[in-house]
Amino acid sequence: MKFGTKAIHAGVSPDPSTGAIMTPIFQTSTYVQKSPGDHLGYEYSRTHNPTRTALQNSIAALENGKHGICFSSGLGAIDAVVKLFNPGDEIISTNDLYGGTYRLFTKVFERYGIKFHFVPMNEPEKLSQYVNERTKMVWVETPTNPMMNIIDLKAMAAFSKKHGILLAVDNTFASPYLQNPLDFGSDIVMHSVTKYLGGHSDVVMGALVVNDDELASRLVFLQNACGATPGPQDCFLVLRGIKTLHLRMERHSQNGKTIAAYLKNHPKVAKVYWPGFEDHPNHEIAKKQMKDYGGMISFTLVGNKLEDAKKVMENLELFALAESLGGVESLCGHPATMTHASIPKEEREKVGLVDSLIRLSVGVEDAEDLKNDIAQALAKI
């Protein structure tokens, strides 16, 4: 099936008991058994739930994967991945990543003896210096949050396989519509389902997709044993959101291109970070591994003043000032004080995350209205 057909049909089927075309919300905590251990595949809803099963199958299909595993948040999914490892193990991570991931790595798992190396990944061969017998995984975001850096997935997969370590990719910014990391040799794909997969700013959820049966078994064990599982109503909402994922991503990408071009030519804007520009670092890699460039854009202001950034965001009307991204409505955020505040200032600035940087999640509204909104907000500084 092509992607649009998979979005609507993969992993789901009409309910056999009623013929309902939409997957029912199985709002139950437990299931009747004929005899101890003799059941219909469901015992307890932390372990399995039919609504969740349908969603997991759908997300796996969208990522061209075999196993989908859903969690109560994106961080819950990342938490399960790191719990695959033991004290003394080491993980190489990109140095430009979501602040919540950085916080989980440094404030939680470093306490238990797992070591993290935060390094740039524009040249994979340079990562060899961080590899030793304790290295277990490479953690990648591409495009990165919020600097929109592009990491070569094919090269990273070759590097990981050469050294016998796992490659995990946070694919949240791209969504399965724009990019499928498993196709390039990745072992684990992670999504904050909250974002583009849900698409309507009404669910918090995470997901992992893998092909390897043994790896899937270990992650499913952690999903059940640690209990960070989503409820059936949230799973139903994401199943509904996925049905329009291809339509939404087309419009997000279309609008993103329009807004990025407008910002690039604005006299009050210093830099625009969007992988669709030919002069964007690793643009050629983005062309090869992404279907389009999406609706995530970051930009800085001339003069790099925090007060100017605040004034712009306070005066935007259609772009709501809020955490998160990937919904149908346009959002703006200030990474230095919001999503990435947990990363020390000196570490943020090493990757270019300065105080005037504003991150946009361009929605599916009319692009002309969004452009006018940005114009009037920039006119206030």
Side-chain angles (χ1 to χ4, degrees), residues 162-180:
K162 176 184 174 183
H163 294 283
I165 56 182
L166 293 172
L167 174 61
V169 179
D170 182 339
N171 199 32
T172 299
F173 266 30
S175 88
Y177 177 77
L178 298 181
Q179 180 174 271
N180 299 117

Side-chain angles (χ1 to χ4, degrees), residues 44 70 81 95 124 167 178 234 289 351 378:
Y44 187 61
C70 286
V81 173
N95 64 338
L167 174 61
L178 298 181
D234 283 352
Q289 68 188 29
V351 300
L378 287 171

Side-chain angles (χ1 to χ4, degrees), residues 363-379:
V364 301
E365 303 95 336
D366 188 286
E368 198 65 26
D369 291 330
L370 296 177
K371 207 160 64 171
N372 291 339
D373 188 33
I374 293 171
Q376 64 82 24
L378 287 171

Side-chain angles (χ1 to χ4, degrees), residues 263 269 271-273 297-301 356-358 360 378:
L263 287 168
V269 172
K271 290 183 181 177
V272 183
Y273 301 93
I297 302 167
S298 293
F299 68 98
T300 59
L301 300 172
S356 77
L357 187 119
I358 297 170
L360 300 180
L378 287 171

Side-chain angles (χ1 to χ4, degrees), residues 3-79:
F3 190 93
T5 309
K6 282 200 288 189
I8 294 167
H9 294 287
V12 299
S13 56
D15 177 49
S17 63
T18 64
I21 196 164
M22 299 301 293
T23 304
I25 302 170
F26 286 91
Q27 194 71 52
T28 184
S29 61
T30 193
Y31 307 81
V32 172
Q33 304 185 25
K34 292 179 184 177
S35 182
D38 182 7
H39 52 75
L40 299 175
Y42 296 92
E43 306 167 73
Y44 187 61
S45 274
R46 185 192 69 247
T47 310
H48 298 293
N49 177 281
T51 316
R52 191 170 90 219
T53 298
L55 175 61
Q56 292 177 155
N57 291 339
S58 175
I59 293 175
L62 294 180
E63 278 292 5
N64 300 328
K66 192 174 177 183
H67 305 279
I69 310 153
C70 286
F71 296 82
S72 53
S73 69
L75 283 170
I78 300 169
D79 177 79

Side-chain angles (χ1 to χ4, degrees), residues 11-326:
V12 299
S13 56
D15 177 49
S17 63
T18 64
I21 196 164
M22 299 301 293
T23 304
I25 302 170
F26 286 91
Q27 194 71 52
T28 184
S29 61
T30 193
Y31 307 81
V32 172
Q33 304 185 25
K34 292 179 184 177
S35 182
D38 182 7
H39 52 75
L40 299 175
Y42 296 92
E43 306 167 73
Y44 187 61
S45 274
R46 185 192 69 247
T47 310
H48 298 293
N49 177 281
T51 316
R52 191 170 90 219
T53 298
L55 175 61
Q56 292 177 155
N57 291 339
S58 175
I59 293 175
L62 294 180
E63 278 292 5
N64 300 328
K66 192 174 177 183
H67 305 279
I69 310 153
C70 286
F71 296 82
S72 53
S73 69
L75 283 170
I78 300 169
D79 177 79
V81 173
V82 185
K83 282 175 179 169
L84 293 168
F85 310 116
N86 299 309
D89 288 344
E90 298 186 12
I91 293 170
I92 303 170
S93 169
T94 181
N95 64 338
D96 172 26
L97 77 169
Y98 168 51
T101 306
Y102 179 89
R103 181 179 59 221
L104 180 67
F105 288 174
T106 59
K107 302 298 184 184
V108 178
F109 283 106
E110 280 191 348
R111 291 172 51 223
Y112 297 105
I114 295 178
K115 185 176 180 180
F116 296 87
H117 302 275
F118 297 97
V119 296
M121 293 188 174
N122 52 317
E123 298 179 72
E125 64 278 2
K126 290 188 176 180
L127 300 183
S128 298
Q129 62 185 299
Y130 301 100
V131 177
N132 57 55
E133 69 279 0
R134 296 180 298 278
T135 308
K136 303 298 180 185
M137 184 177 76
V138 177
W139 182 267
V140 167
E141 287 181 14
T142 184
T144 60
N145 181 3
M147 302 309 299
M148 305 304 297
N149 286 310
I150 299 297
I151 296 169
D152 187 334
L153 291 176
K154 195 172 180 180
M156 290 307 305
F159 170 84
S160 299
K161 283 176 175 50
K162 176 184 174 183
H163 294 283
I165 56 182
L166 293 172
L167 174 61
V169 179
D170 182 339
N171 199 32
T172 299
F173 266 30
S175 88
Y177 177 77
L178 298 181
Q179 180 174 271
N180 299 117
L182 294 178
D183 291 353
F184 295 94
S186 305
D187 300 291
I188 302 171
V189 178
M190 196 288 296
H191 283 280
S192 174
V193 176
T194 310
K195 314 308 194 288
Y196 286 112
L197 285 166
H200 293 78
S201 303
D202 53 9
V203 173
V204 173
M205 194 186 298
L208 301 173
V209 182
V210 301
N211 277 323
D212 183 81
D213 295 344
E214 192 269 337
L215 181 56
S217 178
R218 293 170 66 196
L219 290 166
V220 167
F221 170 81
L222 289 165
Q223 178 197 41
N224 181 51
C226 299
T229 51
Q233 179 150 349
D234 283 352
C235 292
F236 172 85
L237 288 171
V238 176
L239 280 167
R240 184 187 66 174
I242 282 174
K243 289 182 184 295
T244 59
L245 178 62
H246 55 305
L247 304 175
R248 290 185 284 107
M249 292 309 299
E250 286 172 6
R251 185 60 174 261
H252 284 301
S253 298
Q254 197 177 69
N255 283 356
K257 182 178 182 179
T258 299
I259 298 304
Y262 175 75
L263 287 168
K264 193 171 189 179
N265 293 312
H266 199 287
K268 293 183 180 179
V269 172
K271 290 183 181 177
V272 183
Y273 301 93
W274 182 68
F277 291 137
E278 289 189 5
D279 60 355
H280 184 86
N282 268 357
H283 168 72
E284 290 303 315
I285 298 298
K287 268 174 74 173
K288 290 177 184 176
Q289 68 188 29
M290 298 178 73
K291 184 175 182 178
D292 208 333
Y293 305 109
M296 295 304 301
I297 302 167
S298 293
F299 68 98
T300 59
L301 300 172
V302 172
N304 190 33
K305 293 179 182 175
L306 176 60
E307 309 79 53
D308 286 347
K310 285 183 176 179
K311 191 173 286 187
V312 169
M313 290 182 286
E314 288 166 359
N315 282 287
L316 285 166
E317 296 172 359
L318 292 177
F319 284 86
L321 177 57
E323 300 268 0
S324 201
L325 59 105

Side-chain angles (χ1 to χ4, degrees), residues 330-362:
S330 292
L331 300 177
C332 71
H334 187 243
T337 58
M338 295 167 72
T339 53
H340 292 66
S342 57
I343 300 177
K345 183 179 174 70
E346 60 274 16
E347 293 300 316
R348 294 197 305 263
E349 293 189 342
K350 279 181 190 175
V351 300
L353 204 171
V354 296
D355 283 347
S356 77
L357 187 119
I358 297 170
R359 191 189 73 183
L360 300 180
S361 172
V362 181

